[in-house]
Amino acid sequence: EASLASLPMAARHGWLLLVAVAAGGALASDIARSWSPPRDLSLLASMDPPAAGAEPRLILTEAVRERMLLSSEKSLRQDKVAADGWHSAEAERMLERLLQRASSLVAAEDAAATGRARRASAEAQWGDAETEALWLLCRTQLGGIEATLQALESAATRVRKLNTRWHSSAISLWLPSVSHVGSAPLLGSARSRFGIGARHRALLRSERLLMVQAGMLHDLRVAILRAGGEWLEYGSWLGGPPVRGMEWDVQISPERRRELRDLCEGANRALTTAADRLASYGPYALYRSPPWALANTNRQGDGQTVSIPPTRAGMLASTSTHLRAVREIRRALGTRRIPRELQPPLAISRGQIVPLALLIAAVLWAYAVVRSAERRAAALVFLVKMSSDVGRFWTTHVAEPVRDIAHELYGVPRPILDSATAAASRDSFHRSLEAFAREVLAGTDTATVEAAAAQAARGSMETVNHIFERDSRRPLNGLLRGELPRTLLLQIQHLKVLLEEQVEYADQTLKRNDFTLQIMAVVPALLLGFVMLTFLRALYQRVRTSSPRGPIEDIRRELVTIQRMLNRAAGAPSAGSAALTKYEASPMDVATAGELVFRVMRLRAAGQRWLRGWLRSDVLQDARELLDSGRLSALQRAQIANSLLRRLDNSNPFFHHW
């Protein structure tokens, strides 16, 4: 304190500020260390195995849940489309690390258990460890199914684009060396109508099989969601099932646990079968594979039901199996190698002829300009004139009006003529008139002089005009008396006062209407800017999408198609339906269900890409309801699609979409 008191005032304040900053930084560092979750899940690997007979340690501890929730929130903020779903890339990577670190702990616990007696009575000894393992398995199933559906939709889109290249009417320029007859004799020649039709049918078959697989997985997802209920859906707020002490929260019965294990085993078998077939044939040649069956996904060949064992090790192993199957499916669907018999020939479509012709004409014109000196000079003069015109337009209709508007709003107006100057000139003129009237009427009676002086003080020119009219008949006498020059000077002063009054009035008028005038000067620039913005908006949309209809019309067409599919699904199933979904409120053909899933996914992606504001939030939320086929019938979902159509019809192009 003595050393601090001996310092100057400025140094004392600086020293105190430095101490405060250092103390605040240390406090903030302590708070961050005490509240921040671990950056990895290494705390599981450091756990010692429990003693014999002790309760097994939980995998989803509070620190792990906090880390999972923070990572999930971060990934969902970056990916708005996945905000209403069950899968994100960061959550999948974290789950893989969690399973790797938990495997050693679970193996040590199983070694410390009583072996066969514990496995025989696993269902009777169900505890918190088994509950969190089942919850982890179910959430992994939902996330893996969603990731698989995304990969299937991407592959189906590529197959559909390839099919469009074969099916669309085009003016084709085939390469002479391309021949597919030897590699696929059953499909025929690529130059024949039969060969094109056969390849079109094969690609349609491949796309339909991808839809069938998507419909099967969506049906299983509906079943898992229905069996899990609030226990599974609301667990996302805790990063796991309800912890011990939350007896008031939703619990799950043994029957539901058994049903969830059966459904998860069926989903694993379906994903494993799909991974094998996709690895063998790929997405394009899938038409050569046998049909996929919907039923008996969790049954062996002898008809016995196969279920996941009710142990934590068994459920975690099933979770790892599910993740491996999802990775294999994505690896198989990620291939972009087109089989030789399905590779389309080089073709130029009819829609590309006009742009190609315009491009060729532009290149030829540029070549002619470059080769001719006269044309180069004319082009240079044209560019210089255009740049000067653009600069003049910018200065006249943008820069100066905007500057004047800003000065009108935030600056102090500066008049052309000061009002005090005009008033002083007016008063001086009135005094000159009054003095002149008194001098020229000095020989008359007092009443006449006072009346003329009063009129002159109000600015009347009657006396001046009378004297000027009298002396103009005898100008020499008026000049000698001096009255004629004074009348001339007073008339000149009168003109000066009138001019100043008009300038003052014009100044006040401009001051009142300056903002309106500047806005009128900006109107041409606003109109030109609106036209340019509309043109750039249309060009930007054409660059980002290849559809000639426009993105909003594509979204509207997608909604109309979804509504029609749901209305058809509300009726009786068609006779050609191979299999129907088993767990939806309105059973439909599995291929139709898969196509509906693909279209809703494309709708969500297009809404996230093109829409803005509340319309985008509404479309993403209602598109999620379109896939809630376990609780909503086909007619109810068709009504949701109809409401989305009405919202799109009432949207504003410059506020709700770009």
Side-chain angles (χ1 to χ4, degrees):
E1 293 179 358
S3 60
L4 181 62
S6 62
L7 292 175
M9 182 61 66
R12 190 185 311 172
H13 289 172
W15 188 85
L16 291 176
L17 180 62
L18 181 62
V19 172
V21 169
L27 181 60
S29 178
D30 294 340
I31 293 176
R33 285 195 300 269
S34 62
W35 283 95
S36 61
R39 291 190 175 273
D40 53 13
L41 305 174
S42 59
L43 57 110
L44 291 176
S46 62
M47 288 184 176
D48 298 329
E55 289 291 332
R57 296 184 183 274
L58 297 179
I59 299 176
L60 299 178
T61 60
E62 185 176 352
V64 174
R65 294 189 185 208
E66 183 69 19
R67 175 59 182 164
M68 292 176 65
L69 290 173
L70 286 176
S71 177
S72 177
E73 182 181 356
K74 179 181 177 181
S75 62
L76 293 180
R77 280 200 304 265
Q78 297 175 355
D79 188 5
K80 298 299 183 181
V81 178
D84 296 329
W86 297 83
H87 174 265
S88 65
E90 180 64 24
E92 183 177 354
R93 290 192 293 267
M94 183 174 295
L95 180 61
E96 292 177 355
R97 295 196 302 267
L98 179 64
L99 292 176
Q100 291 176 1
R101 297 187 182 278
S103 58
S104 59
L105 176 63
V106 175
E109 290 180 354
D110 289 346
T114 57
R116 297 179 181 177
R118 180 173 179 82
R119 286 193 294 271
S121 59
E123 185 65 35
Q125 298 183 6
W126 189 279
D128 295 337
E130 289 75 15
T131 300
E132 71 173 11
L134 178 61
W135 187 89
L136 201 60
L137 172 63
C138 295
R139 293 284 296 195
T140 305
Q141 293 283 341
L142 294 175
I145 289 175
E146 183 170 346
T148 305
L149 290 177
Q150 294 175 0
L152 288 172
E153 191 275 332
S154 178
T157 301
R158 297 199 305 270
V159 173
R160 187 178 67 255
K161 289 181 179 179
L162 179 61
N163 193 8
T164 303
R165 294 177 62 183
W166 278 104
H167 180 66
S168 60
S169 59
I171 299 177
S172 302
L173 303 177
W174 285 293
L175 295 178
S177 60
V178 177
S179 177
H180 307 288
V181 178
S183 59
L186 294 179
L187 296 180
S189 174
R191 297 186 178 93
S192 64
R193 296 290 181 182
F194 176 81
I196 294 177
R199 287 165 176 80
H200 173 59
R201 184 67 184 89
L203 292 173
L204 281 178
R205 177 66 178 170
S206 298
E207 186 180 2
R208 181 175 175 82
L209 289 177
L210 292 174
M211 293 177 182
V212 169
Q213 180 62 37
M216 294 166 56
L217 293 178
H218 176 67
D219 195 37
L220 289 172
R221 178 173 62 177
V222 169
I224 294 174
L225 285 173
R226 178 182 294 179
E230 295 183 4
W231 176 79
L232 183 59
E233 185 175 1
Y234 291 170
S236 59
W237 296 99
L238 299 176
V243 297
R244 185 176 300 175
M246 289 186 178
E247 288 79 7
W248 46 267
D249 205 340
V250 180
Q251 305 297 329
I252 188 168
S253 62
E255 292 79 10
R256 290 292 181 90
R257 296 199 298 261
R258 191 178 305 109
E259 182 181 0
L260 285 173
R261 294 200 311 272
D262 294 342
L263 292 173
C264 292
E265 177 63 24
N268 283 346
R269 285 180 172 270
L271 289 174
T272 304
T273 304
D276 295 338
R277 295 199 179 191
L278 290 171
S280 302
Y281 298 98
Y284 298 103
L286 201 59
Y287 64 93
R288 297 199 299 261
S289 67
W292 285 339
L294 176 64
N296 300 327
T297 54
N298 62 333
R299 293 182 182 273
Q300 289 180 337
D302 55 358
Q304 296 181 358
T305 302
V306 179
S307 180
I308 300 174
T311 61
R312 182 162 65 157
M315 288 182 283
L316 292 179
S318 179
T319 304
S320 301
T321 302
H322 177 84
L323 290 177
R324 285 195 299 271
V326 172
R327 286 196 299 268
E328 292 175 0
I329 288 177
R330 283 191 297 202
R331 187 182 303 111
L333 292 176
T335 177
R336 296 181 179 272
R337 185 178 61 84
I338 302 175
R340 180 177 175 81
E341 66 272 12
L342 296 177
Q343 291 179 359
L346 179 63
I348 299 177
S349 63
R350 293 178 180 177
Q352 297 173 348
I353 294 178
V354 175
L356 184 61
L358 293 177
L359 179 61
I360 293 174
V363 171
L364 293 177
W365 179 82
Y367 178 75
V369 170
V370 171
R371 290 294 300 268
S372 175
E374 182 180 355
R375 292 184 178 180
R376 286 201 305 269
L380 183 60
V381 170
F382 175 75
L383 292 177
V384 171
K385 183 179 182 303
M386 180 180 293
S387 62
S388 63
D389 292 341
V390 171
R392 184 172 63 255
F393 182 85
W394 175 266
T395 303
T396 306
H397 296 283
V398 178
E400 292 181 356
V402 171
R403 183 187 60 209
D404 293 340
I405 290 174
H407 183 73
E408 176 74 18
L409 295 176
Y410 303 104
V412 179
R414 186 173 58 184
I416 301 175
L417 179 65
D418 192 6
S419 300
T421 302
S425 299
R426 190 183 306 110
D427 294 340
S428 175
F429 175 64
H430 292 170
R431 289 194 299 270
S432 299
L433 286 178
E434 184 179 1
F436 178 76
R438 290 184 182 277
E439 290 179 7
V440 297
L441 298 177
T444 61
D445 56 303
T446 306
T448 303
V449 173
E450 293 298 331
Q455 291 180 358
R458 292 194 297 270
S460 176
M461 293 286 292
E462 182 179 357
T463 303
V464 175
N465 293 333
H466 177 72
I467 298 300
F468 179 78
E469 182 180 0
R470 185 195 67 183
D471 291 345
S472 62
R473 298 188 185 97
R474 292 184 295 273
L476 186 58
N477 294 333
L479 184 62
L480 293 175
R481 288 195 305 269
E483 294 179 356
L484 182 60
R486 290 186 66 183
T487 57
L488 294 176
L489 292 176
L490 288 173
Q491 289 179 359
I492 294 174
Q493 190 178 7
H494 184 214
L495 292 177
K496 174 178 176 294
V497 170
L498 290 178
L499 181 61
E500 289 182 352
E501 289 179 351
Q502 295 300 321
V503 170
E504 183 182 9
Y505 178 76
D507 193 13
Q508 294 177 357
T509 304
L510 290 175
K511 181 180 178 181
R512 288 192 297 265
N513 298 277
D514 184 63
F515 187 81
T516 304
L517 294 176
Q518 301 303 331
I519 292 295
M520 291 176 63
V522 177
V523 167
L526 293 178
L527 293 178
L528 182 60
F530 178 79
V531 173
M532 292 296 296
L533 182 62
T534 305
F535 174 75
L536 292 177
R537 177 175 176 268
L539 182 62
Y540 180 65
Q541 290 180 353
R542 292 301 300 270
V543 169
R544 293 184 63 187
T545 180
S546 59
S547 175
R549 300 167 59 95
I552 305 304
E553 290 299 325
D554 288 342
I555 294 176
R556 187 177 286 108
R557 183 182 60 180
E558 199 74 51
L559 280 172
V560 170
T561 306
I562 291 173
Q563 185 181 12
R564 290 176 179 174
M565 292 177 61
L566 291 172
N567 288 330
R568 286 196 301 266
S574 60
S577 299
L580 300 178
T581 56
K582 298 190 299 183
Y583 303 105
E584 291 187 329
S586 298
M588 64 178 67
D589 183 28
V590 288
T592 304
E595 183 182 1
L596 184 62
V597 170
F598 289 165
R599 290 187 177 276
V600 173
M601 292 174 66
R602 289 195 291 266
L603 174 66
R604 288 174 57 85
Q608 171 64 26
R609 183 179 185 182
W610 295 107
L611 301 181
R612 296 293 180 267
W614 289 106
L615 183 61
R616 177 173 60 180
S617 302
D618 294 342
V619 168
L620 294 180
Q621 179 64 28
D622 291 348
R624 180 187 178 187
E625 299 295 329
L626 290 175
L627 292 179
D628 193 5
S629 55
R631 291 179 289 188
L632 300 177
S633 64
L635 286 178
Q636 291 174 328
R637 290 186 287 162
Q639 293 176 358
I640 294 176
N642 189 23
S643 67
L644 283 176
L645 280 174
R646 291 199 302 269
R647 293 181 187 178
L648 281 178
D649 293 337
N650 297 327
S651 62
N652 190 312
F654 284 97
F655 289 98
H656 296 119
H657 59 83
W658 173 249

